[in-house]
């Protein structure tokens, strides 16, 4: 079975630009979570979506937004990019929004110049 | 406020010996704990989890121990293999409605052949 997939794998943007990252969950999983991992730190929670509804939001500015589609895939959008947004963006899926194990994709590495 | 702490940034162990990775947490509301392994350029891979109603969970070479009174968990890998060399993250979640994971900063394990 295919795991969590993310696209693109790498991305280079300049300050002020906007970026869209995509995630497809494991087949049958209805919940998608997004995390940001900067160098030397653990992943930090950005959003969780379940059945197309936002179930949780981390301590990130409004420049970060996300949505989930009827097929449970998800997009993360970041507007007005800052240098500090350079990070590995991870998507994780789980079967429900409850206390179930989340499985991570390979991530999208974003570099903001 | 770092709710999940991994105080050892790195650990070196001889092949065949036991690796012990430690993690401390501060939030007594956490009720589910996980360990992930991460290789460079890949997303975190789920290893093992434990619910707060247990104090031990085993899966092959991996055992996780939970000491709720000390707010401490550890991952034991026996025997350690060179392929285990990676960064290990502990994560915790609680019934906050979002089931977001709070991650530690990671411990880099190097298994020496």
């Amino acid at each position: 079975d295919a795991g969590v997939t993310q696209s693109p794998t790498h991305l280079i943007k300049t300050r002020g630009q906007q970026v869209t990252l995509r995630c497809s969950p494991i087949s049958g999983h209805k919940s998608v979570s997004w995390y940001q991992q900067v160098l030397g730190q653990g992943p930090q929670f950005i959003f969780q979506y379940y059945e197309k509804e936002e179930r949780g939001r981390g301590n990130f500015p409004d420049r970060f937004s996300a949505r989930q589609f009827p097929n449970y895939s998800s997009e993360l959008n970041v507007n007005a990019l800052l240098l500090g947004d350079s990070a590995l963006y991870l998507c994780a899926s789980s079967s429900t929004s409850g206390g179930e194990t989340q499985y991570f994709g390979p991530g999208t590495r974003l570099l903001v110049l | 406020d770092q709710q999940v702490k991994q105080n050892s940034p790195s650990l070196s162990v001889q092949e065949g010996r036991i690796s012990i990775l430690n993690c401390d947490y501060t939030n007594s509301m956490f009720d589910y704990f996980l360990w992930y392994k991460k290789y460079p350029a890949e997303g975190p891979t789920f290893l093992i989890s434990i619910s707060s109603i247990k104090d031990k969970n085993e899966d092959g070479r991996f055992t996780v121990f939970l000491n709720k009174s000390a707010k401490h968990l550890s991952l034991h890998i026996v025997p350690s293999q060179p392929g285990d060399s990676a960064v290990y993250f502990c994560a915790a979640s609680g019934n906050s409605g979002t089931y977001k994971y709070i991650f530690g900063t990671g411990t880099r394990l190097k298994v020496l052949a």
Side-chain angles (χ1 to χ4, degrees):
Chain A
D1 284 342
V4 178
T5 59
Q6 292 185 243
S7 63
T9 55
H10 294 82
L11 205 50
I12 299 175
K13 292 285 188 178
T14 56
R15 280 178 298 174
Q17 284 190 310
Q18 175 265 341
V19 68
T20 298
L21 311 180
R22 295 175 177 85
C23 171
S24 291
I26 292 170
S27 177
H29 283 191
K30 298 182 179 179
S31 179
V32 168
S33 298
W34 287 94
Y35 292 80
Q36 180 197 64
Q37 185 181 16
V38 299
L39 202 60
Q41 296 185 19
Q44 270 200 294
F45 174 78
I46 311 175
F47 285 111
Q48 184 187 62
Y49 275 78
Y50 176 70
E51 291 279 16
K52 294 169 288 181
E53 290 192 4
E54 182 183 304
R55 290 298 182 94
R57 184 185 185 110
N59 189 22
F60 281 81
D62 291 343
R63 299 185 296 107
F64 288 76
S65 63
R67 55 180 176 167
Q68 187 177 32
F69 298 99
N71 66 353
Y72 304 113
S73 67
S74 177
E75 287 182 352
L76 175 70
N77 296 284
V78 187
N79 293 322
L81 285 167
L82 303 174
L83 297 181
D85 295 330
S86 296
L88 180 68
Y89 288 86
L90 295 162
C91 171
S93 79
S94 58
S95 57
T96 70
S97 68
E100 305 228 351
T101 300
Q102 296 179 15
Y103 296 91
F104 285 83
T108 294
R109 184 158 299 280
L110 172 65
L111 179 61
V112 183
L113 301 175
Chain B
D1 178 26
Q2 190 72 25
Q3 297 185 68
V4 178
K5 299 179 185 178
Q6 294 178 256
N7 292 317
S8 298
S10 64
L11 176 68
S12 291
V13 172
Q14 285 294 133
E15 181 180 6
R17 306 296 290 267
I18 184 171
S19 294
I20 300 176
L21 296 97
N22 294 302
C23 180
D24 297 295
Y25 62 96
T26 58
N27 191 337
S28 57
M29 297 302 290
F30 288 149
D31 58 9
Y32 189 57
F33 305 88
L34 310 94
W35 284 94
Y36 285 85
K37 175 171 72 173
K38 189 177 184 301
Y39 294 118
E42 294 184 13
T45 301
F46 169 71
L47 274 177
I48 192 168
S49 63
I50 187 167
S51 163
S52 61
I53 63 173
K54 294 186 174 182
D55 54 19
K56 178 182 173 181
N57 189 28
E58 285 182 81
D59 185 0
R61 297 186 298 115
F62 302 93
T63 302
V64 57
F65 294 91
L66 176 62
N67 182 334
K68 288 186 289 293
S69 60
K71 293 191 179 67
H72 177 83
L73 67 155
S74 60
L75 174 69
H76 292 208
I77 306 173
V78 184
S80 301
Q81 300 173 354
D84 296 329
S85 297
V87 178
Y88 288 77
F89 291 98
C90 67
S93 73
N95 189 1
S96 64
T98 63
Y99 295 97
K100 65 181 181 183
Y101 287 178
I102 307 297
F103 282 85
T105 52
T107 296
R108 182 176 301 277
L109 173 66
K110 191 171 186 179
V111 180
L112 306 169

